[in-house]
Amino acid sequence: MVVPPVAVLLVSCICFPSSLAALYTEPRQLPRHTYDYVIVGAGNAGNVIASRLSEDPRTSILVLEAGVRASWRAWFLSWYQHSRPICDQTACPPFGNETEHLLDTPYDWNYTVTPQKGLNGRTFPYNRGKILGGSSSVNYMVHQYGSSEDYDKIAEITGDAGWNWDNVKRNIGKHEKIVPPADGHDTTGQYIPANHGTNGMLSVSLPGSSQLIDSRVIATTRELSEEFPFNEDMGAGISATTYLAAAINRPNVHVLLNAHVTKLLRTGTIQGVPSFRSVEFAGKPGAPSIIVTARREIVLSAGSIGTPQILLLSGIGARDELEALGIPVVVENPSVGKNLSDHVLVPNIFRVKDGESLDALFRDPALFKAALDEWMETKRGVLASSMLNHMGYFRLPSTSSIFSTISDPASGPKASHWELIVTNFYINPKPGHIPPETGSYLGLVSALISPTSRGSVTLASADPFAHPLIDPNYLTTPFDIFAMRETVRAVKRFAAAEAWKDYIIAPFGNFSSDVDADLDAYIRDQASTVYHMVGTASMSPRGAEWGVVDPDLKVKGAEGIRIVDASVLPFPPNAHTQGPV
Ligand SMILES: Cc1cc2nc3c(=O)[nH]c(=O)nc-3n(C[C@H](O)[C@H](O)[C@H](O)COP(=O)(O)OP(=O)(O)OC[C@H]3O[C@@H](n4cnc5c(N)ncnc54)[C@H](O)[C@@H]3O)c2cc1C
Ligand SMILES: *[C@@H]1O[C@H](CO)[C@@H](O)[C@H](O)[C@H]1NC(C)=O
Ligand SMILES: *[C@@H]1O[C@H](CO)[C@@H](O)[C@H](O)[C@H]1NC(C)=O
Ligand SMILES: *[C@@H]1O[C@H](CO)[C@@H](O)[C@H](O)[C@H]1NC(C)=O
Ligand SMILES: *[C@@H]1O[C@H](CO)[C@@H](O)[C@H](O)[C@H]1NC(C)=O
């Protein structure tokens, strides 16, 4: 019934080598203002593009990044104060203090979503990395590609067979390098080597520390093998900083930090189509604007929020929205910033008996420090892992009543509707939520993988430094709330397995009831995000009435701009998004 991986792959974030060539922090350091390519955003996608393009030494590339390169000290302080893994200079441990957020550090954009009508009007912060590596420098390092059906569906939607999985998967060999896990454990039966690359750029491993509950998870997949079968490999699999580390030592790549791109400038008309070759940026509000030029193309890789914002500021978007803000319309396209979709989650926490969970580690600074010291000294121990050792992707039963009124939104008949993430500790990412001070917990987090709700990113102001309005519009369709409710029921079946009998005490949260309305209330009160926003500059067929880019990722109705980042994905994949990006 399922596409359920169980072993998780992690990227090992091998960050910057000590000798950094052309990494500039101030515009006056730039040796020139014209390059073959100007890439906006040194994130997950931008760094891969910089790396690939710079393989040809005759090609010159400038990468403009609004964020900073965190110094080791800043990283370290941030670790303690905000306890998030921000990489720099050395390999960084995949896991931080999960009770704290990246928010309000200088490495985050500090975005907030608009009040969500599907979540009782709640609003909450939406993390995005403002740092070299973008969100891939601040994430949990889970590394997956999704279902083959995701790519086949993109090919179908765009009418371009180049996106078929059979074509996409050929790049895995170039991309990925499977390395042994930190604890050196025997990985036989935990992944399928033939699905993975061994010579690529990005080091990927299985989790590097085992947990006491691992055997219970595996036992559950045996006991409930109909509904939750074991899958040896979800690996139909970045740490973008890895790519940057490769690219940055090439003399043909220059990276400028603290460069906030404010707009792309029309520089002419080619066969009646507005062409764009110049990029305007500034260091901070009020600082002088600087213009750089791309001889060949501008590549927008500012992510699902930054990319539509820059397009709109450049006059590429819905006429009425632009005119209302006094922005001259250069390319009319009502799809810019629309069709946003995201993976929404509910935490589903259970109270468990003491002795197997990692809760004490996050409560006791001495234990945490010991674990951090162990990681620093030996690159081993509990922090050598993202701590998310098991995940699974599952389908709703085909007999579910919702399918009598709504066609199946999964990417295909084998693709999933929801994801289960097992956490051996208390985790509730709902902002403002205060974790309990005592007790041991198990999280059976469920996330909606095939949402049908669509939201938007729109400008709040013509000021390029103002945050846009981010409205994910979570859980606003009958399918989404139905599916979410069924995930909570499925989680309760998972937790009822014999394997948990002597362990789980009771649900910790208001999801014990089986009444639809009670479950809906719990979901709308507790839901938050997995941070996998996509779709705001979606691909569509060439010549379509909707969509922002053609299947070759060139912006429709414009010449000289390509978009490469999460925003071009038409729907969220069956995966955490950095691998697909
Ligand atoms: C907290 C968190 C946890 C996550 N966990 C995982 C995980 O474990 N596994 C996984 O696969 N995915 C995870 N994700 C999602 C994944 O990191 C993102 O999907 C991915 O990084 C998106 O890549 P991108 O290139 O589109 O954008 P990003 O990686 O965000 O890069 C965009 C870059 O553009 C820069 N930028 C934006 N605007 C401008 C501008 N105006 N001028 C100049 N530069 C600009 C940004 O500073 C940033 O560096 C997580 C995300 C978050 C926030
Ligand atoms: C986010 O907030 C922190 C702390 O207030 C601040 O240092 C940082 O500059 C903010 N980031 C942005 C992009 O405004
Ligand atoms: C959103 O995407 C759908 C296809 O999934 C498309 O039909 C629709 O026109 C898009 N809407 C906008 C505003 O682009
Ligand atoms: C984790 O962060 C919380 C909230 O700031 C703090 O109370 C706690 O002491 C931190 N835990 C450790 C182990 O540093
Ligand atoms: C359950 O709901 C009640 C009433 O709404 C609330 O007081 C309580 O805090 C909730 N419990 C949890 C664990 O969220």
Side-chain angles (χ1 to χ4, degrees):
M1 278 293 29
V2 186
V3 198
V6 169
V8 174
L9 289 171
L10 300 174
V11 300
S12 74
C13 171
I14 297 163
C15 303
F16 306 110
S18 48
S19 72
L20 292 167
L23 186 61
Y24 304 116
T25 54
E26 290 182 48
R28 61 174 168 74
Q29 297 168 323
L30 276 186
R32 55 181 188 272
H33 286 89
T34 299
Y35 292 80
D36 290 326
Y37 294 91
V38 176
I39 300 174
V40 180
N44 190 165
N47 292 338
V48 177
I49 299 302
S51 170
R52 294 283 185 243
L53 288 175
S54 63
E55 283 169 10
D56 178 351
R58 290 161 307 181
T59 303
S60 65
I61 294 137
L62 173 66
V63 185
L64 296 172
E65 167 56 48
V68 295
R69 170 180 176 230
S71 71
W72 168 253
R73 184 168 164 72
W75 173 84
F76 197 75
L77 286 175
S78 159
W79 177 277
Y80 274 108
Q81 285 166 4
H82 297 276
S83 306
R84 294 294 320 211
I86 292 168
C87 326
D88 190 32
Q89 291 176 342
T90 179
C92 54
F95 205 80
N97 175 351
E98 282 308 298
T99 61
E100 262 290 353
H101 281 268
L102 177 69
L103 191 79
D104 290 336
T105 69
Y107 317 119
D108 192 79
W109 283 89
N110 303 340
Y111 292 129
T112 302
V113 300
T114 58
Q116 294 297 291
K117 62 176 184 283
L119 308 183
N120 301 334
R122 284 189 289 125
T123 172
F124 50 79
Y126 199 97
N127 291 146
R128 291 282 98 182
K130 190 184 180 197
I131 185 171
L132 269 185
S135 299
S136 73
S137 288
V138 301
N139 73 18
Y140 306 108
M141 296 191 179
V142 172
H143 187 55
Q144 313 167 328
Y145 298 113
S147 164
S148 59
E149 292 180 341
D150 291 331
Y151 300 89
D152 294 345
K153 188 168 175 193
I154 295 175
E156 186 191 313
I157 290 176
T158 60
D160 185 333
W163 287 103
N164 275 327
W165 174 242
D166 285 345
N167 292 320
V168 171
K169 82 172 176 210
R170 285 196 205 111
N171 294 304
I172 290 179
K174 257 202 227 171
H175 170 63
E176 170 181 289
K177 177 181 175 184
I178 292 276
V179 296
D183 61 359
H185 76 262
D186 180 4
T187 56
T188 311
Q190 298 184 353
Y191 79 109
I192 301 171
N195 290 351
H196 297 277
T198 51
N199 285 314
M201 183 86 77
L202 177 78
S203 296
V204 176
S205 78
L206 282 149
S209 73
S210 61
Q211 297 177 14
L212 292 166
I213 62 163
D214 290 347
S215 57
R216 297 183 189 274
V217 179
I218 301 299
T220 309
T221 64
R222 286 200 203 99
E223 188 187 331
L224 304 179
S225 59
E226 276 287 302
E227 188 173 9
F228 305 103
F230 180 72
N231 180 333
E232 194 174 340
D233 199 330
M234 56 176 104
I238 212 177
S239 159
T241 47
T242 306
Y243 278 90
L244 188 64
I248 211 164
N249 282 325
R250 295 186 182 135
N252 52 338
V253 181
H254 296 171
V255 179
L256 179 63
L257 301 176
N258 310 307
H260 186 123
V261 170
T262 49
K263 64 155 104 160
L264 313 182
L265 302 171
R266 179 188 188 159
T267 43
T269 305
I270 295 179
Q271 292 172 346
V273 176
S275 70
F276 292 76
R277 286 292 184 287
S278 292
V279 180
E280 182 193 90
F281 66 92
K284 53 176 190 271
S289 289
I290 294 140
I291 292 171
V292 288
T293 297
R295 268 185 229 106
R296 288 158 86 169
E297 273 184 34
I298 299 165
V299 181
L300 259 186
S301 298
S304 292
I305 298 171
T307 286
Q309 183 182 22
I310 293 168
L311 289 173
L312 294 165
L313 290 167
S314 312
I316 305 174
R319 174 171 294 278
D320 54 338
E321 289 172 27
L322 296 176
E323 285 177 349
L325 295 171
I327 298 171
V329 179
V330 184
V331 179
E332 189 174 351
N333 184 337
S335 293
V336 173
K338 305 297 172 3
N339 267 329
L340 183 167
S341 54
D342 195 11
H343 290 153
V344 54
L345 64 75
V346 278
N348 311 319
I349 299 158
F350 294 81
R351 183 77 213 274
V352 295
K353 81 166 195 219
D354 295 334
E356 295 184 31
S357 92
L358 296 171
D359 292 291
L361 181 72
F362 298 117
R363 285 199 199 109
D364 180 347
L367 275 181
F368 192 79
K369 183 173 183 311
L372 187 58
D373 288 346
E374 182 184 4
W375 184 83
M376 294 279 197
E377 279 157 32
T378 66
K379 300 286 177 281
R380 285 181 174 227
V382 67
L383 297 181
S385 171
S386 84
M387 296 195 193
L388 305 176
N389 280 6
H390 294 100
M391 296 174 177
Y393 288 82
F394 305 99
R395 291 182 64 78
L396 299 180
S398 56
T399 52
S400 298
S401 61
I402 193 78
F403 296 129
S404 62
T405 52
I406 282 162
S407 66
D408 183 352
S411 303
K414 290 183 294 190
S416 70
H417 299 112
W418 69 282
E419 179 187 11
L420 172 66
I421 304 171
V422 180
T423 72
N424 187 14
F425 46 88
Y426 189 96
I427 185 166
N428 185 348
K430 182 181 165 183
H433 180 88
I434 297 164
E437 279 166 24
T438 57
S440 299
Y441 302 88
L442 168 74
L444 296 178
V445 180
S446 60
L448 182 58
I449 293 297
S450 60
T452 59
S453 300
R454 293 290 180 265
S456 63
V457 171
T458 48
L459 292 183
S461 149
D463 173 1
F465 288 91
H467 285 173
L469 299 171
I470 302 161
D471 179 10
N473 203 24
Y474 295 117
L475 300 178
T476 49
T477 61
F479 175 81
D480 288 9
I481 191 70
F482 176 95
M484 220 43 184
R485 203 190 289 143
E486 292 310 314
T487 73
V488 178
R489 291 190 168 119
V491 156
K492 289 194 277 187
R493 291 192 292 276
F494 188 91
E498 202 56 39
W500 304 101
K501 218 169 187 139
D502 63 340
Y503 188 62
I504 292 180
I505 298 166
F508 187 83
N510 291 326
F511 60 100
S512 304
S513 162
D514 197 43
V515 175
D516 284 1
D518 294 345
L519 290 173
D520 291 1
Y522 161 74
I523 291 163
R524 296 198 190 281
D525 178 54
Q526 292 289 311
S528 63
T529 177
V530 204
Y531 304 108
H532 294 167
M533 194 181 274
V534 301
T536 50
S538 179
M539 283 188 254
S540 73
R542 205 174 292 280
E545 291 288 302
W546 64 282
V548 177
V549 295
D550 283 340
D552 59 6
L553 308 184
K554 289 181 176 162
V555 172
K556 290 173 188 286
E559 199 276 331
I561 318 167
R562 223 182 272 248
I563 301 181
V564 186
D565 60 27
S567 68
V568 303
L569 295 172
F571 56 88
N574 286 245
H576 293 235
T577 35
Q578 68 180 340
V581 169

